[in-house]
Amino acid sequence: MYLMNTYARADVGFKFGRGATLFDERGRDYIDFAAGIGVNALGYANKKIISAVTKQAQNLLHTSNIYHIKPQEKLAKEISKQLGYKTYAFFCNSGAEANECAIKLARKYGARNFKEKKYEIISLGSSFHGRTLATLQATGQDKFHPEIFAPYMDGFKFFDTIEEATKNISDKTVGVMIELVQGEGGIKAFEKEAVKKLAKTLKERKLLLITDEVQCGVYRTGEFVTSKIYGIKPDVITFAKALGGGVGIGACVSRKDVFEPGDHGSTFGGNFLATASGLATLKELKRLKKEGKLDEISAKFNEHLDELVKKFPKIFVKKQGIGMMLGLVLQEGVDLAKIIRLALKNRVLVLRSGTKTLRFLPPLNISKKEMKEGFGRLAKALGEYEI
């Protein structure tokens, strides 16, 4: 192998995919309840994405942000349109980069809008915001702060609950960064009233609410942004994963136009290919939502999960999450890694979240047939675990 040892990979590789089904190098099919960790929102070989990417590739893939990029401008406008209020977008290549941009934006805002500079960002326990040094420090899990990578950036604090975060806003605090549904922290959705109170407190103090919607955004929880479900309008929203429909992209979207030329940048961010794919993805998901198909698919998927919880009470405690960002919480002592291995053996792909939650992030357009087949295989795997 000529790759760095950064992943504990499962012993399988895929050659092609159709819908929510992947095929390995031997032609065996796997039902995908993971969607590339929430990236492939429209599954594999989607005709709208293929058409957009092919058409764009025949003209331009990349020029750089020194020049105007028309699909980038269109995607920024489409995001603002789907949010329902005016925003300004910066495009990059990943969720971590989007969160880095949000951190820089917050620090500039804190330096320019108060007598004494505010720079501290509060996040929550069990959160995950990326793997760069700044976003690692913004991540509220001690396991992501090993001494080997120290020293880390200062200016970050985290608290276990939203109520604690609200109470601990200090004179140095410029904003609070939260995932409304925690992707790596057990698929926990926060209580709406607590989130609204936090948003109100920050607004009163002219501080920033940053929602990390890298995983829970782009219709994953049923709406374009999860913040809509919570009835809030964040100052900054970060996107990635599903936004590109399989092509790498990230976006930091702000209601405040804080930056000036030279403050921030990206060579590849928002290039022709990524934003053309992103635009096609957003328009297709918006259509499916408007037609009621996304809600119908979500309801059916949730039904299947509820049935699993009832059928395997010795394995599962409960289902949690919103829309199609879902988790099954395991009973004490159940081996999460073993369940994932058995699922893979039965050719269905699932994920972990934290130490005791089985995570589901299927393509948002998964067919009923694929659902039925996937849950049948998963039930067989769970039956093998109980033996």
Side-chain angles (χ1 to χ4, degrees):
M1 289 286 285
Y2 295 88
L3 298 171
M4 288 191 183
N5 188 28
T6 52
Y7 301 101
R9 289 182 169 89
D11 190 21
V12 65
F14 299 107
K15 193 170 183 180
F16 69 98
R18 295 289 183 274
T21 306
L22 283 166
F23 296 84
D24 68 13
E25 291 161 353
R26 293 166 58 187
R28 296 178 301 182
D29 66 315
Y30 294 71
I31 305 299
D32 188 5
F33 287 168
I37 316 184
V39 169
N40 301 302
L42 290 168
Y44 303 96
N46 180 269
K47 290 180 181 179
K48 293 291 176 68
I49 294 176
I50 290 172
S51 176
V53 169
T54 302
K55 185 177 178 181
Q56 188 57 60
Q58 289 170 340
N59 292 294
L60 283 173
L61 294 177
H62 176 86
T63 57
S64 92
N65 287 292
I66 295 171
Y67 314 105
H68 289 288
I69 301 171
K70 190 58 70 175
Q72 181 185 112
E73 294 165 10
K74 288 181 178 179
L75 181 56
K77 183 177 180 180
E78 183 66 24
I79 289 171
S80 184
K81 185 178 175 183
Q82 293 204 26
L83 285 171
Y85 49 87
K86 180 66 180 289
T87 54
Y88 304 89
F90 173 83
F91 291 104
C92 48
N93 309 287
S94 67
E97 288 178 62
N99 286 332
E100 284 274 351
C101 179
I103 291 164
K104 284 182 73 175
L105 185 151
R107 288 197 171 187
K108 182 169 184 182
Y109 174 81
R112 290 292 176 88
N113 289 277
F114 303 95
K115 280 187 177 181
E116 292 189 19
K117 180 179 180 180
K118 296 179 184 291
Y119 62 90
E120 187 179 270
I121 292 175
I122 293 173
S123 62
L124 296 177
S126 299
S127 63
F128 181 81
H129 297 294
R131 292 185 181 274
T132 64
L133 284 173
T135 55
L136 275 178
Q137 191 61 6
T139 293
Q141 300 185 58
D142 286 332
K143 71 178 183 179
F144 286 106
H145 311 143
E147 185 61 29
I148 196 167
F149 297 129
Y152 295 91
M153 290 179 64
D154 62 4
F156 298 93
K157 287 185 177 178
F158 59 88
F159 299 94
D160 287 334
T161 67
I162 287 182
E163 290 83 357
E164 284 181 289
T166 306
K167 288 177 185 176
N168 283 280
I169 294 170
S170 73
D171 291 338
K172 295 178 181 178
T173 304
V174 68
V176 177
M177 178 183 282
I178 59 172
E179 300 163 278
L180 294 167
V181 185
Q182 293 187 323
E184 298 290 335
I187 315 298
K188 289 180 286 190
F190 286 105
E191 203 270 322
K192 287 184 182 180
E193 289 308 310
V195 171
K196 285 184 177 181
K197 184 178 178 182
L198 171 64
K200 184 173 181 287
T201 301
L202 291 170
K203 185 176 181 180
E204 288 171 349
R205 300 191 188 191
K206 297 183 179 179
L207 304 177
L208 302 180
L209 174 60
I210 304 165
T211 58
D212 176 341
E213 304 212 26
V214 165
Q215 189 166 144
C216 69
V218 193
Y219 295 98
R220 174 54 57 185
T221 55
E223 296 289 347
F224 174 52
V225 283
T226 306
S227 43
K228 182 177 180 179
I229 296 170
Y230 279 77
I232 58 171
K233 290 182 180 178
D235 299 289
V236 182
I237 304 174
T238 57
F239 297 101
K241 291 193 181 292
L243 183 60
V247 178
I249 193 172
C252 177
V253 176
S254 174
R255 294 169 69 190
K256 303 176 190 295
D257 192 11
V258 173
F259 288 140
E260 298 170 287
D263 281 343
H264 198 49
S266 171
T267 297
F268 291 101
N271 69 18
F272 283 91
L273 179 68
T275 51
S277 183
L279 192 60
T281 300
L282 282 198
K283 287 185 175 181
E284 178 65 3
L285 286 170
K286 183 181 180 180
R287 182 185 71 80
L288 293 173
K289 172 67 178 178
K290 189 176 180 180
E291 292 175 358
K293 292 180 182 178
L294 292 186
D295 293 337
E296 181 186 332
I297 291 165
S298 176
K300 191 66 181 176
F301 199 91
N302 274 269
E303 280 179 26
H304 280 293
L305 285 176
D306 289 333
E307 289 170 10
L308 275 188
V309 174
K310 288 179 185 177
K311 188 173 181 179
F312 297 97
K314 292 180 181 179
I315 295 178
F316 300 118
V317 177
K318 62 179 179 178
K319 178 192 78 177
Q320 59 189 24
I322 304 175
M324 295 275 270
M325 185 173 178
L326 299 161
L328 297 183
V329 181
L330 303 183
Q331 296 283 4
E332 206 62 44
V334 174
D335 188 337
L336 177 57
K338 185 177 179 182
I339 286 177
I340 292 171
R341 287 196 302 270
L342 285 169
L344 182 64
K345 175 192 162 192
N346 284 276
R347 306 202 315 280
V348 58
L349 308 179
V350 289
L351 299 162
R352 67 164 55 242
S353 178
T355 57
K356 59 176 185 177
T357 303
L358 192 63
R359 178 171 35 161
F360 297 82
L361 302 170
L364 300 179
N365 60 348
I366 185 172
S367 69
K368 289 180 181 178
K369 182 180 179 181
E370 288 169 315
M371 263 191 248
K372 184 178 179 182
E373 180 64 27
F375 278 106
R377 294 180 188 187
L378 186 55
K380 184 173 182 294
L382 293 167
E384 292 173 10
Y385 182 89
E386 285 196 328
I387 292 172

